[in-house]
Amino acid sequence: MNTRRNSIRKRVAALGVAIVAATAGTAAVASPAQAAPTGCPFGSFCVYKHINYDYYGGIYTAYGQDANWGNNTFQDGSRVRRNDSSWFNNGAEGPGIPSYVQVFGGGSMTICLRAGTGFPRKPASSDRGEKHYWAYNCE
């Protein structure tokens, strides 16, 4: 009987450890907002020409929707359209506020960012952006 109880206790303990580990993994994914990179003011969506939020490589800052990145340029005069390599959503969050930014290129969404988050690099989305919209989710 004691052997059976010990076996059950070990299984329950192992299950508890597995639950704690799974919860810890989930918490890491839902981490707090990141600090905004250089040059990205509060309330804006920022697109960087180079990876790792390289401010000196060029930045495009938008406070609203932009259905045509082709008419926007970085500081060096190059077009923002299909020249995007890192992105940060420094928008606000709250009831009734569209706090997600959806970036589209080639007819499909390339990235979606919740307020306070960004991608310092994402090769699958790099140099594909053509427009963005503020939204209530990533769908």
Side-chain angles (χ1 to χ4, degrees):
M1 190 74 157
N2 282 340
T3 305
R4 185 171 179 198
R5 280 187 194 159
N6 286 340
S7 176
I8 291 171
R9 285 182 188 156
K10 286 179 185 178
R11 283 189 222 155
V12 169
L15 179 60
V17 169
I19 290 170
V20 169
T23 305
T26 302
V29 172
S31 62
Q34 304 168 12
T38 301
C40 191
F42 180 74
S44 69
F45 169 59
C46 300
V47 178
Y48 295 81
K49 184 176 180 179
H50 298 301
I51 63 170
N52 298 322
Y53 312 123
D54 179 3
Y55 175 76
Y56 298 104
I59 181 175
Y60 160 65
T61 303
Y63 289 90
Q65 321 278 22
D66 190 343
N68 181 8
W69 285 4
N71 58 11
N72 300 298
T73 58
F74 291 111
Q75 291 89 333
D76 66 1
S78 62
R79 297 266 182 226
V80 175
R81 184 179 188 270
R82 295 187 177 219
N83 246 339
D84 51 325
S85 296
S86 51
W87 314 261
F88 194 87
N89 177 354
N90 202 18
E93 280 188 292
I97 298 173
S99 56
Y100 290 78
V101 174
Q102 300 172 342
V103 177
F104 290 85
S108 63
M109 189 182 331
T110 60
I111 58 171
C112 184
L113 303 157
R114 183 178 182 173
T117 65
F119 288 108
R121 69 179 296 150
K122 189 173 183 194
S125 299
S126 190
D127 299 330
R128 292 188 55 212
E130 298 175 344
K131 58 188 173 183
H132 76 272
Y133 300 101
W134 291 85
Y136 292 98
N137 56 47
C138 286
E139 297 174 4

